Structure formats: structure tokens, C-alpha cells
Amino acid sequence: MKRLLFSCLLLTGFTQATAQDYFSLLNPGSQYVYAGVSAAPALMAQTGYAFSGVTIKDKPLVFTAGITLPLFSQKGFDAELNVGAGYQWALAKNWNMITGLSWNIMRSQDINGRYLCSGFKLDMLPAYYTSHWMTGPHLALDYRPWLHIRHSDYSKEAYTGLYPSGSGTYTTPRDGWFLQDNLALQLGAGVAYFRTHWNINLKAGFNWQPNRLGLISLPDIGIMPFYGSVNVGYKLH
Amino acid sequence: MRTIYLLPLLLLFTTCTRTDEIGALVPPTVDQDRSLPSIRIDVAGHSRLIHVRTFGDTANPVLFLIHGSYSDCHPYFNICESLADKYYVVAWDQRGCGLSERITENEFSLETAAEEVSRMKAHYSPHNKITIIGQSWGGGMATLFTAKHPQEVEQLVLIEPIPLTGSDMQQLYKSIVEFTYNNQSWNNMAVQGMVLSADDHAQIDYRAHMILRSNMTAGYHCDGNNPPVWPVHRVGGYMEYLRNKALGNPVSGFTYDFREGISAFSDTVLVMGGSCSSLGYSVQNQYTRPHFSAAQVIEVQNAGHRMNIEKPEEVISIIKNYLNQY
């Protein structure tokens, strides 16, 4: 079973940003839950809840709340919380576009330090619909500019003995709030199979995190240009 | 009223430090802090500042210490200090590594790696032969320079060099590189990528620093889950990308050859291998020894790839027994 789960994860690819599930829009109702796995490229599991009490032009506006947990990287308690809203736009006959905007906050810890990071993610999935299937391109923009770092002793030790004279300007890394250009752009495809009460959906594609060095991939340190997620959703009411 | 809500956001945007601010995540490079010791060399048509530390009397014969990958010269200071009574020891952070100035992609190749050693020799020992100690990648670099300039090298010490030819690497790759997607250390680095963008050298080096304490290189160490501390100031993450690109990969093949021409170097080479490492004694004896006209391969017991930290006395003793000045 573990091997099967792992194979599924590998097949889905890898994503820089975690998956927020707006596919509850495929199962109109007031309450909905979902769970799934993704790779970011860290292997993650996510679950969440969606609520819909408002309609705009006869289409539901859903509000979502989710949590994402790394599967293998836990040192302390790593988690991302996200809240968002999604709407399904009617584009043309058989063509609709799921759009979602979420705010996320992530706490993680590793040997270098402890982090609190926050930002926004915009998802767009214009898709062709049949009675039980939908498929189309997936586009997403994930921007996480705010970051708080508390460096570990390991990180601080790198500054030990830096200056032959014993003193200099830089003696320790800086703790506190940072701003950064942490942007991830995703271009891929999404597909879902849906029935009245449930759906299963998959997103996968190319992930690009713009950087000044033009790096697309450096697997040694966890930079990989793919993303993917698989989620299963169920309508409660 | 709206201004009140926007004010905290505005403050957050304007008062925060940026992650690329000098020294915020990792120590500065010598071009960022000119109080750090450096020299300027020209390699591949570019003039770059190199972080250098020297030990001993300049009148002594020159000995170069060349560090390995994911490293700088700092972890080797114990060797440098021990040999400073008979040698003028020069240890430097390779271009793009440690505290040395960063380089661009077109500045690195195996040829320019050898050129870098040539420039350092021209600076520190233009008229006399040098002795070289190289560890891991540094062992490959030392062999490469010696093969190209055998008449300029007095003695050569290799501490667990990487496989010296692409075909050796192809055969050994699976035994020295272990990776699975469910590796916790690797996932930790990937998670860091979600919170901290690898936007520039500092952020990449910050993340790459984690590899040194990870179990991704478990095979190199006696206790793979608890590798010996490797006290670098700063690694060169982007350089690892450039090196990997220059060396090749197991799919398309490794095509490099560090030892082409090495037969012209007839002196005995000292090769050291740990008893625990996947690049240890048995690998060095089987793969590295045959490439040299004469090589002495010595096993360091209960030591892995970082043997100068794990067993400093044994390592320094073996090196001194070999070097002409002792």
C-alpha cells in the first residue's frame, strides 16, 4: 500500500506550491471535504473543507480552508494553513473556468532554522466539461513575499572564525522578518472525474520559480521543475 | 479608514530586510566584504576575487590544499596548521565557492578548474614546484592539474578523490550516490524551497548548507545518520550545478577524464581512503591506484569521507610520513 501511494506521488510530479482544492465546484452543495497528496517537490498530504452559501449568477462561490502537511520532512511541526475562495465562470457552452484565490501561511523548521512564511496563490483552470469529466490547462501563480526566520545554532556556526583578525562586520545571520521574491509559476493540465457526490482530480505540469541565476532544476537541493497533486473530494450536504 | 488597514502592510513591505541582503543568511563573499583576505586572479577571461588563507613561512616550499564539493577551505585548517612548520600552505575557496566571488555559467569547465590552479601557482609559486593535497572533488582537480602540468608538481596527495574518469564514475555512481524521494533530508530542503526562494546565490548556498548534515550522503560516513560536523563558512550551491553539468550524469553518461596525461607524473602518489566510506580504501585501491605510475593507497580505520575531521592525527601522520619535507 505504501509503495502504491508512493508510486502515485511520483506519477503526479512535483509542485513548488501546495494544492488548494476548488474542485468542490464540481459537486454543488453547501459543504464539501477533500483530501489528497501532492509533491512540492516535497511530498505532502493535504485535506480541507469547503463551504458554499452564496451564489453569483446562479453559480456558487465557495470558501475553503485547508491544511497541508509534509510527509517526510517533519522536524518539529511543519504545516501550511490556507483559506481561500473559488468561483466557476461560464465561458461558453461546455467551457467553464474554475478560479481560486487563497491566502496561505506556512510554518516549517529544519536544521538551518525556523520559518513562518505567507503569501497568496491564484489558480485558474479553464476546462472543457462533459457530463462526468472535465479537463483543461491549469495556470497558477504563487507569491510568498513575507518570511520570518529564526536561525539555528547550525546556521550561526558558519560565521565562526570568519575573520582572521577575530572581528568584522558580519558575525551572525539575521533573525526577523524578510521580504523576498518568492514567486512560482505553474503551467500544466488538470483533469477531473465527477459524480453527484464526489470527484477525483489531478493537476500536473511544469513549475518555474524565477531566479536571478536562470536555474530551472537543481535536484541536489530539492529544486525540480514539475508539480502535481491528486485529490478526492466528497460532498457532505 | 482604509489607510489604517494599509499601513501595517506598507510597513511590512518597507521595513523588512530582504533575503538577499549581504550577510543576512550566509557569510558575505570577499567582494562583498573587502576586509576578508583575498587575491585577484584571471580565469576564463574573467577577473575574480578569491578568498585565500595562508599558513607558515613564505620561504618554505608551497603546498596547495584543494577542497572538495559542498565545501570551502575552512574544514581543512587543521591539516594546514599542522604542515605550516615545513610548508607555506595555501588554502583557498574555489571560484564560486565559500567566500570567493561568484561566477557565471560560462566561466566554469574542467579546463578552467585546472586554469584556476595554474593561476594560483603563478601567484604563490611561479618558479618552483608545488605539492598538492586534494580531497574528493579537490582530488580530481589536483589530478587534472598534475596531468596537465606534471613538471610543476612535487608531490600529490589525494584524500578520497572522486572517480578520476567518467567510466569509473559510471560504474561507481550507484554505490556513492543514494537518493530516494522519501528521504527526509531531501524533503527538508524541498520544504525550505516553499518558504525561502532560491532566488540568488545566498539563498541557494543557505539551502545547500543543509546537505552537510543530511543523510543523503550516508554512504560516505561511518554513521550515515549522523555525519561528522563539516565546519564550512559557506558552500557554493550554484557551483555544484555547474560541476554536475561539466561532469555529466548517469543517464547521458560521464565523459570527463581527469587523468589524461598523468602517466608523465612518475612520482609516487599518496591516496587515502577511509574504512567506512563508499569512496574509501577498497574503491581507491581498485579504481584510483591503476591510473598512476606509482601510488601508495592507505586505509584510515574507522573513518569516512571527512577523515581529517574524524581522525585528524592519523591523517596528518600519514601525510607527514609521505611528504618530502618531513
Side-chain angles (χ1 to χ4, degrees):
Chain A
M1 187 60 195
K2 195 176 172 184
R3 185 169 291 179
L4 179 66
L5 175 67
F6 191 61
S7 303
C8 290
L9 286 169
L10 289 180
L11 283 171
T12 63
F14 307 95
T15 178
Q16 178 61 38
T18 50
Q20 174 71 290
D21 190 350
Y22 299 106
F23 288 88
S24 58
L25 292 161
L26 301 176
N27 306 105
S30 62
Q31 295 187 65
Y32 170 94
V33 290
Y34 68 86
V37 289
S38 61
L43 303 175
M44 321 281 275
Q46 66 264 356
T47 185
Y49 169 80
F51 170 79
S52 176
V54 184
T55 58
I56 301 172
K57 291 184 180 177
D58 296 331
K59 294 274 188 181
L61 176 70
V62 297
F63 298 95
T64 64
I67 183 169
T68 303
L69 301 166
L71 287 172
F72 295 105
S73 64
Q74 295 290 336
K75 180 180 171 67
F77 181 70
D78 292 1
E80 180 191 275
L81 300 172
N82 49 60
V83 292
Y87 186 72
Q88 190 180 35
W89 305 81
L91 300 178
K93 189 187 176 190
N94 293 333
W95 282 91
N96 295 304
M97 180 166 78
I98 291 176
T99 308
L101 179 66
S102 65
W103 170 71
N104 53 63
I105 184 163
M106 182 170 188
R107 190 265 185 206
S108 73
Q109 184 174 354
D110 57 42
I111 190 171
N112 276 348
R114 284 208 309 262
Y115 316 95
L116 192 66
C117 173
S118 184
F120 299 91
K121 186 179 182 192
L122 176 68
D123 278 276
M124 288 184 288
L125 186 59
Y128 181 78
Y129 284 69
T130 65
S131 55
H132 295 300
W133 287 91
M134 61 86 81
T135 184
H138 171 241
L139 301 130
L141 185 152
D142 191 357
Y143 184 51
R144 301 176 180 219
W146 299 290
L147 171 66
H148 185 273
I149 306 178
R150 187 177 175 82
H151 292 280
S152 67
D153 289 343
Y154 177 68
S155 204
K156 291 172 183 168
E157 280 160 14
Y159 290 71
T160 305
L162 195 63
Y163 298 95
S165 64
S167 65
T169 308
Y170 303 96
T171 54
T172 185
R174 201 167 299 170
D175 287 347
W177 281 100
F178 289 85
L179 266 181
Q180 60 173 341
D181 300 325
N182 189 357
L183 176 68
L185 301 168
Q186 297 174 348
L187 176 60
V191 60
Y193 177 76
F194 54 96
R195 307 293 294 190
T196 307
H197 286 278
W198 61 273
N199 76 72
I200 180 166
N201 60 77
L202 183 149
K203 285 183 292 187
F206 179 72
N207 181 83
W208 180 49
Q209 199 173 15
N211 60 81
R212 283 175 247 181
L213 304 175
L215 268 182
I216 292 174
S217 173
L218 183 48
D220 285 13
I221 60 169
I223 300 174
M224 296 179 87
F226 307 104
Y227 74 94
S229 68
V230 178
N231 283 297
V232 175
Y234 184 76
K235 183 175 81 169
L236 299 173
H237 294 290
Chain B
M1 192 64 185
R2 275 182 194 166
T3 314
I4 293 171
Y5 292 124
L6 288 174
L7 202 59
L9 205 61
L10 195 66
L11 278 173
L12 204 55
F13 264 114
T14 54
T15 60
C16 287
T17 307
R18 290 194 58 85
T19 50
D20 55 4
E21 195 160 302
I22 295 170
L25 300 177
V26 289
T29 50
V30 286
D31 51 309
Q32 295 170 331
D33 182 352
R34 297 304 302 273
S35 69
L36 292 163
S38 66
I39 63 164
R40 184 173 287 282
I41 60 171
D42 293 336
V43 179
H46 292 262
S47 178
R48 297 294 185 188
L49 282 170
I50 301 294
H51 175 239
V52 187
R53 299 290 284 267
T54 57
F55 305 80
D57 190 333
T58 53
N60 288 336
V62 171
L63 183 148
F64 279 1
L65 202 146
I66 305 181
H67 67 75
S69 58
Y70 284 104
S71 186
D72 58 23
C73 65
H74 191 230
Y76 305 88
F77 281 7
N78 59 353
I79 297 178
C80 300
E81 286 161 357
S82 298
L83 304 179
D85 57 335
K86 302 280 187 185
Y87 288 90
Y88 180 51
V89 183
V90 179
W92 76 93
D93 297 343
Q94 290 157 35
R95 292 170 307 138
C97 298
L99 308 181
S100 288
E101 189 176 354
R102 270 36 195 162
I103 62 173
T104 53
E105 184 165 4
N106 61 4
E107 289 175 64
F108 185 79
S109 65
L110 298 184
E111 285 69 32
T112 63
E115 187 187 349
E116 180 178 325
V117 184
S118 289
R119 298 295 181 210
M120 293 301 288
K121 184 183 180 301
H123 187 94
Y124 285 101
S125 184
H127 307 300
N128 297 309
K129 288 184 173 184
I130 52 170
T131 293
I132 307 180
I133 299 175
Q135 191 249 358
S136 194
W137 153 261
M141 202 165 152
T143 304
L144 185 65
F145 175 79
T146 306
K148 288 179 183 292
H149 308 282
Q151 73 287 354
E152 296 185 8
V153 178
E154 183 72 33
Q155 290 187 283
L156 179 62
V157 179
L158 304 177
I159 303 173
E160 290 202 356
I162 66 166
L164 297 180
T165 67
S167 62
D168 287 357
M169 177 62 102
Q170 196 76 44
Q171 289 178 60
L172 291 166
Y173 186 79
K174 282 187 177 171
S175 65
I176 59 178
V177 178
E178 298 170 38
F179 173 74
T180 54
Y181 284 112
N182 59 349
N183 178 282
Q184 185 182 359
S185 300
W186 187 83
N187 273 270
N188 263 317
M189 287 192 284
V191 167
Q192 191 185 102
M194 296 172 67
V195 296
L196 174 61
S197 167
D199 188 39
D200 209 346
H201 290 290
Q203 296 93 323
I204 289 174
D205 295 351
Y206 183 73
R207 198 190 307 181
H209 190 213
M210 294 166 69
I211 281 186
L212 300 174
R213 293 291 296 162
S214 79
N215 60 7
M216 287 168 64
T217 54
Y220 286 119
H221 313 296
C222 296
D223 180 357
N225 289 316
N226 187 27
V229 171
W230 192 244
V232 299
H233 289 309
R234 180 170 171 174
V235 299
Y238 184 62
M239 272 303 297
E240 303 305 330
Y241 164 76
L242 297 182
R243 279 196 198 114
N244 290 346
K245 207 170 167 186
L247 293 175
N249 63 67
V251 180
S252 62
F254 297 96
T255 54
Y256 67 90
D257 188 345
F258 289 139
R259 47 93 243 211
E260 194 176 349
I262 197 68
S263 57
F265 183 74
S266 55
D267 288 348
T268 301
V269 177
L270 172 63
V271 182
M272 301 165 73
S275 61
C276 303
S277 172
S278 53
L279 271 178
Y281 172 79
S282 58
V283 165
Q284 299 302 336
N285 203 33
Q286 185 181 345
Y287 288 90
T288 304
R289 180 203 287 266
H291 293 311
F292 296 99
S293 305
Q296 178 188 9
V297 185
I298 294 182
E299 182 170 33
V300 181
Q301 290 297 327
N302 302 315
H305 201 55
R306 299 173 183 172
M307 62 179 72
N308 64 301
I309 295 290
E310 294 172 283
K311 300 286 175 188
E313 288 174 10
E314 288 91 328
V315 168
I316 289 163
S317 169
I318 292 166
I319 292 173
K320 282 186 173 180
N321 281 339
Y322 165 79
L323 292 177
N324 291 338
Q325 295 297 313
Y326 290 96

